[in-house]
Amino acid sequence: MLTWLDPAPVNAQSLDELGIHPIVSRALTRRGFDSAGAARAFLEPGLYPVTPASELPDIEPALRRIWKALRQNERICVWGDFDVDGQTATTVLIQTLRAIGANVTYHIPIREKESHGVKIEYLKTEIDSGAQLILTCDTGISEHKAVEYANSRGVDVLITDHHDLPEGPLPSALAVINPKRLPESHPLATLAGVGVAYKLAEALLQNANTDLAPESLRDLAALGLVADVATLSGDTRYLVQRGLEQLRRNQRLGLQVMLELAGTNPLQLTETHIGFTLGPRLNAIGRLGDANPVVELLTTNDPAKARVLAAQLEGLNQERQLLTSQVTQAAQAQLRENPALLEQAALVLHHPDWPAGIIGIAASRLAERYQRPTLLLTGRDPVRGSARSVDGVHITEAIRACGQLLLGFGGHPMAAGLSLPAENLISLRRELSRAVESQLKTAARPPAELQIDEFLSLDELTLDLAAQIEQMAPFGAGNPPLLLATRNLELAASQKIGKTGEHIKLTVRDETGNVASALWWGGAEEEQPSGRFDLAYTLRASDFKGQKQLALELVDFRIVAKKPIEIESPKIETIDLRAAEKRTEALQRIQAEYPDALLFAEGNDRKRLNGKGRHELSEAETLILWTTPPERRLYESILETVKPRRLVLFAQDSGENSPEAFLARLAGVLKFVLNQREGRVSLAELGAACGQGEAAIRSGFEYLKASGQLAGESDAAGLTIRQANAPADEPARAQYLSQLTVLLNESQAYRSFFRGQKV
């Protein structure tokens, strides 16, 4: 369970001159931007002082060797990696070297055969085929033996990489360009593999006679940096900012086709689309096949070839999704069959036929679900596995403690890979759990905390606010999205979404009737909030069918104490006529006895009985409650407004409880508003006319819009409507009808409770 931390008070006056939203000012101040100049450079990439490539270690000898290879027409082999960072880094270097006239080829290892790195067997093949200079990208920093082999063949090696430096000496390459050799505070220190490749390309193109501009490669840099979850600070953030701008212009044919097949509008593209749309498709081919064709996809100008290659990625991505789901379900089945495994500090599960390229993704899902390090293994003998960890456990160090059982391993604090003889599997399960337990005992695990940036009400969530927050994007490691929260909500409706219904769309409602929708990714199997709860979420603007709308994404929720339902205050005299047989005659007698009484009546009865709706109330000594309010908060609001000393209960139904009857009533009222009110009406007026809650009014309005009958906008004050004659959006109609049905059923349930509650 996460502990929520309230936002710390800050003085953001130093940023006043920027003219930005106070929420953004406070967030920037909390993140260390205490001057307008520093904040402006963070927000506006045009003001950022770009760091020259010459500050990277060993870049000068690398440049000299590459230019020598060009002069002597030596064949250069670019050696990449099969993840998105490696694919894009390879493409950056290939496109650059081709542009300056190099004799160049490339090799991206096939995961199933070679795994990561530079294997001598395959390096020998490249050298035998004529490679005279090896240029690595996103790999090579620990490849001492491979570099020594190349040197023994008279072939120079230039390493560009970003992974952690090895213990002891670096490989004996002619140049080792790695930002990890820089101080941690250096603006180039967080570059991933494609970032290093880009800076090398930038330096090469600076003095080259070519039409290729370094700026045209920034889309690839952004793609690889975001997909590799690089820390978005310094030049890394700058490259992603500029790269996203270029991706939105969408000039690279292969990416155009990928976005088209994925149904993504490039004009609205953000780092989220890289992380969840482009990245997974590119990663899929690296996990399940041969990633070398990606370079062709990202450099081709042939539309037919681009479409064939992009379609291949689309198919592999669908296969990846299916396989990931199957492996995850199979792993959970093992846990159900053997619950004792859940008592271990680390989950270690094995199946000989699990796809090697998928087990890492599935392990990540299980680690998140069960909140403990997870190792999934495949194969028969030897067995190979991928591990994913949780905060507070350095999984590679835990695996290192089991080194005597392994054939090999490698990784970083949150992820690792290993291989071992099959006979050691049971021992590994025991020893790995012991190593994890030892870490948890000796090093205090950081508390599970959630830092809230701002608490807001639902009516404060606007497209303008989302646009202001978007100035801080791109979000990611080193620059997390602003975490907002709203207190005291209730769940109005929920709906499964996604191709397999794995996600949830929650409709939440506050105490004043404002509603909002929040997406809960992967929430279909989770327990939904009940009663009153606080919601933590991120906020962005999204584009749906050409219309801007708010997109809330659930991060967490916490249940708040339930408030008991009370029909009346003990200080109010109550006359209960809910069971009266001749109610109209009883009403006339009450009105004769209390001529100044205020009659609350809504729906059809409001006009028939000359009653008052929720928007027409005033203080009165006697309140006659003819219509049962559709929800508790409206009942409480009525009592608070009227402040009666005497309450007469009839508690009749408004009569519009089915979706069909309600929609017919609402459509008729809105037609009147169009003709007589110039299309503007408050939610309270509509609620009184229809006898339903404001959330139902909003859902009904959205249904009528999706039916093509109306157009318009909904805000905190009410509706602005226009006549329309558009084709129906059937999926949206079905969604809003489902939501409306839930809301009407809730109102009916509350009214039934109200009528039967003992006074």
Side-chain angles (χ1 to χ4, degrees), residues 511-531:
E511 291 183 299
T512 60
N514 295 306
V515 295
S517 294
L519 298 177
W520 188 357
W521 301 113
E525 303 302 322
E526 303 295 332
E527 183 177 355
Q528 296 183 20
S530 60

Side-chain angles (χ1 to χ4, degrees), residues 310-325:
Q312 180 185 359
L313 292 188
E314 194 70 20
L316 284 170
N317 185 55
Q318 293 174 5
E319 181 182 353
R320 174 196 63 81
Q321 292 173 328
L322 175 62
L323 290 172
T324 301
S325 177

Side-chain angles (χ1 to χ4, degrees), residues 194-440:
V194 69
V196 181
Y198 174 85
K199 297 304 285 187
L200 177 60
E202 183 181 70
L204 284 168
L205 294 170
Q206 188 173 4
N207 299 313
N209 183 20
T210 176
D211 293 333
L212 181 67
E215 294 79 10
S216 66
L217 302 171
R218 289 174 180 165
D219 56 344
L220 297 174
L223 191 54
L225 289 167
V226 172
D228 212 56
V229 199
T231 299
L232 299 178
S233 62
D235 280 60
T236 301
R237 174 178 169 83
Y238 170 80
L239 282 176
V240 174
Q241 285 175 304
R242 289 303 201 195
L244 283 169
E245 292 173 358
Q246 190 170 338
L247 282 165
R248 292 176 192 127
R249 292 193 292 270
N250 201 22
Q251 296 173 335
R252 194 173 295 271
L253 181 60
L255 294 179
Q256 287 179 27
V257 179
M258 284 184 67
L259 291 170
E260 177 189 335
L261 293 177
T264 300
N265 180 359
L267 295 176
Q268 307 298 328
L269 192 137
T270 69
E271 71 281 358
T272 301
H273 295 100
I274 294 177
F276 293 96
T277 301
L278 293 173
R281 284 162 170 77
L282 292 168
N283 262 327
I285 194 169
R287 291 181 177 278
L288 300 176
D290 179 358
N292 283 276
V294 171
V295 177
E296 192 171 2
L297 170 67
L298 296 176
T299 55
T300 186
N301 292 314
D302 182 340
K305 184 179 292 184
R307 189 161 294 277
V308 168
L309 292 170
Q312 180 185 359
L313 292 188
E314 194 70 20
L316 284 170
N317 185 55
Q318 293 174 5
E319 181 182 353
R320 174 196 63 81
Q321 292 173 328
L322 175 62
L323 290 172
T324 301
S325 177
Q326 290 175 340
V327 171
T328 303
Q329 291 174 19
Q332 290 175 318
Q334 289 189 19
L335 294 173
R336 287 193 296 270
E337 292 169 5
N338 188 1
L341 293 173
L342 288 169
E343 299 174 5
Q344 302 292 318
L347 297 179
V348 180
L349 305 172
H350 169 255
H351 191 285
D353 297 324
W354 282 342
I358 296 298
I359 54 177
I361 307 174
S364 179
R365 291 187 179 182
L366 294 167
E368 182 178 359
R369 180 176 180 84
Y370 295 103
Q371 282 300 295
R372 69 195 68 192
T374 300
L375 169 63
L376 297 188
L377 301 122
T378 186
R380 287 172 169 77
D381 201 2
V383 174
R384 302 182 185 278
S386 288
R388 297 295 184 270
S389 194
V390 295
D391 288 341
V393 177
H394 193 307
I395 191 61
T396 301
E397 290 303 318
I399 290 172
R400 191 187 306 277
C402 311
Q404 74 281 3
L405 301 172
L406 308 177
L407 297 173
F409 71 94
H412 53 77
M414 297 300 290
L418 56 81
S419 62
L420 72 158
E423 62 183 3
N424 291 347
L425 181 56
I426 294 176
S427 298
L428 176 66
R429 178 177 286 132
R430 180 182 63 250
E431 294 302 319
L432 184 61
S433 284
R434 286 178 178 173
V436 170
E437 287 175 349
S438 176
Q439 282 194 34
L440 294 174

Side-chain angles (χ1 to χ4, degrees), residues 371-557:
Q371 282 300 295
R372 69 195 68 192
T374 300
L375 169 63
L376 297 188
L377 301 122
T378 186
R380 287 172 169 77
D381 201 2
V383 174
R384 302 182 185 278
S386 288
R388 297 295 184 270
S389 194
V390 295
D391 288 341
V393 177
H394 193 307
I395 191 61
T396 301
E397 290 303 318
I399 290 172
R400 191 187 306 277
C402 311
Q404 74 281 3
L405 301 172
L406 308 177
L407 297 173
F409 71 94
H412 53 77
M414 297 300 290
L418 56 81
S419 62
L420 72 158
E423 62 183 3
N424 291 347
L425 181 56
I426 294 176
S427 298
L428 176 66
R429 178 177 286 132
R430 180 182 63 250
E431 294 302 319
L432 184 61
S433 284
R434 286 178 178 173
V436 170
E437 287 175 349
S438 176
Q439 282 194 34
L440 294 174
K441 288 178 182 177
T442 57
R445 187 171 178 178
E449 296 175 338
L450 195 66
Q451 179 62 63
I452 305 298
D453 286 292
E454 296 283 344
F455 280 95
L456 299 173
S457 59
L458 291 185
D459 58 3
E460 291 180 278
L461 305 181
T462 64
L463 287 171
D464 178 65
L465 174 60
Q468 293 274 350
I469 291 174
E470 194 67 23
Q471 294 179 88
M472 294 184 63
F475 297 111
N479 184 43
L482 264 64
L483 192 56
L484 308 177
T486 300
R487 293 187 173 97
N488 210 23
L489 301 173
E490 64 180 359
L491 185 61
S494 67
Q495 178 187 9
K496 289 187 176 182
I497 59 174
K499 290 182 179 179
T500 60
E502 68 272 32
H503 312 303
I504 292 287
K505 180 180 180 180
L506 302 177
T507 300
V508 297
R509 181 170 53 205
D510 66 16
E511 291 183 299
T512 60
N514 295 306
V515 295
S517 294
L519 298 177
W520 188 357
W521 301 113
E525 303 302 322
E526 303 295 332
E527 183 177 355
Q528 296 183 20
S530 60
R532 289 281 169 181
F533 59 92
D534 299 337
L535 183 70
Y537 52 89
T538 60
L539 175 70
R540 298 192 91 156
S542 66
D543 182 77
F544 181 72
K545 296 186 181 299
Q547 287 192 333
K548 283 279 190 180
Q549 59 184 22
L550 290 176
L552 281 66
E553 294 188 9
L554 181 146
V555 176
D556 192 29
F557 65 85

Side-chain angles (χ1 to χ4, degrees), residues 577 579-589 626 650:
L577 297 176
E581 293 184 359
K582 298 180 179 180
R583 296 184 182 88
T584 303
E585 294 178 8
L587 173 62
Q588 292 171 351
R589 290 196 301 271
W626 178 266
F650 283 93

Side-chain angles (χ1 to χ4, degrees), residues 54 56-65:
S54 58
L56 281 169
D58 279 1
I59 196 166
E60 293 301 331
L63 291 170
R64 288 194 296 270
R65 183 63 184 88

Side-chain angles (χ1 to χ4, degrees), residues 590 594 596-598 620-624 642 644-648:
I590 288 292
Y594 305 106
D596 295 327
L598 188 149
E621 185 169 318
T622 301
L623 169 63
I624 304 172
V642 179
R645 295 177 58 187
R646 183 179 299 106
L647 177 63
V648 183

